[in-house]
Amino acid sequence: MSELPGGGSVADTYQHVSKLMTPADGLRLPGAYLKWYDLRRAELELSTEERQQARDFLASTELPFDDELGFVILHKCTPTFSFLLVQTWRGENELWETVFAKNDDGPFQLHTFPGDHRGTFCVWEMGAVWHEAQAWSRYLASVRDDEARKAYVEDRFTGVV
């Protein structure tokens, strides 16, 4: 058996910590209903104003939704940087994503990754993604009526990731 590669780009000094994932009120946009998750380190506050700024920003965007369900992760990464990840379910079982980022007191802007091999979700965001994949699978296995859509929308994750 060949030797496994090293830790890649993980710095020797990196100390991993848990974060808190909490749901907030969902967001109805033209063509979509999105569950909402706030993600942060325990010592970082995510204010009502910060969440409202993100919600207002999404309400002003013209993302091409088409009668979709999905979810948002507002990830406060540091005191001055946040990601706003918007996911919708398409093609029965595909998760589509648009990523926005915000530095300091500036506005959210579309975030692009350099190169062909790009980032998707960090280990903390994957807590919500895993939960949502399970919730969507339950929805797909249902009769997919109004009651099933309501059950999907109400099925939200809370906890440490």
Side-chain angles (χ1 to χ4, degrees):
M1 182 170 135
S2 66
E3 187 175 320
L4 295 175
S9 60
V10 178
D12 291 339
T13 57
Y14 175 75
Q15 296 293 312
H16 191 71
V17 297
S18 296
K19 292 191 178 185
L20 303 174
M21 178 83 63
T22 55
D25 291 340
L27 182 63
R28 165 59 83 181
L29 297 172
Y33 181 86
L34 305 171
K35 298 186 206 181
W36 194 280
Y37 292 102
D38 292 335
L39 177 60
R40 63 182 175 81
R41 289 176 69 147
E43 69 274 10
L44 289 180
E45 292 297 322
L46 190 104
S47 70
T48 303
E49 293 80 21
E50 289 173 295
R51 184 183 310 110
Q52 191 60 50
Q53 181 186 22
R55 294 171 76 85
D56 291 345
F57 170 77
L58 284 180
S60 72
T61 64
E62 295 185 10
L63 289 173
F65 297 128
D66 186 23
D67 197 28
E68 298 172 325
L69 293 171
F71 59 100
V72 171
I73 302 170
L74 175 55
H75 185 173
K76 186 166 184 171
C77 303
T78 72
T80 59
F81 181 82
S82 296
F83 275 122
L84 185 60
L85 310 167
V86 182
Q87 278 75 222
T88 58
W89 294 105
R90 292 187 175 173
E92 291 88 31
N93 55 21
E94 298 172 359
L95 188 60
W96 288 51
E97 179 185 44
T98 303
V99 177
F100 300 98
K102 176 185 172 320
N103 278 306
D104 299 316
D105 291 329
F108 281 100
Q109 297 181 345
L110 187 63
H111 184 76
T112 57
F113 295 89
D116 294 332
H117 192 60
R118 63 179 217 71
T120 56
F121 303 107
C122 73
V123 69
W124 300 288
E125 294 157 357
M126 288 171 67
V129 173
W130 181 86
H131 176 85
E132 289 300 315
Q134 301 305 307
W136 190 250
S137 291
R138 287 187 290 276
Y139 172 74
L140 290 175
S142 75
V143 295
R144 296 185 301 279
D145 59 4
D146 286 342
E147 187 174 315
R149 281 187 290 282
K150 183 179 178 193
Y152 168 75
V153 166
E154 292 175 351
D155 186 353
R156 302 181 304 162
F157 176 79
T158 300
V160 175
V161 290

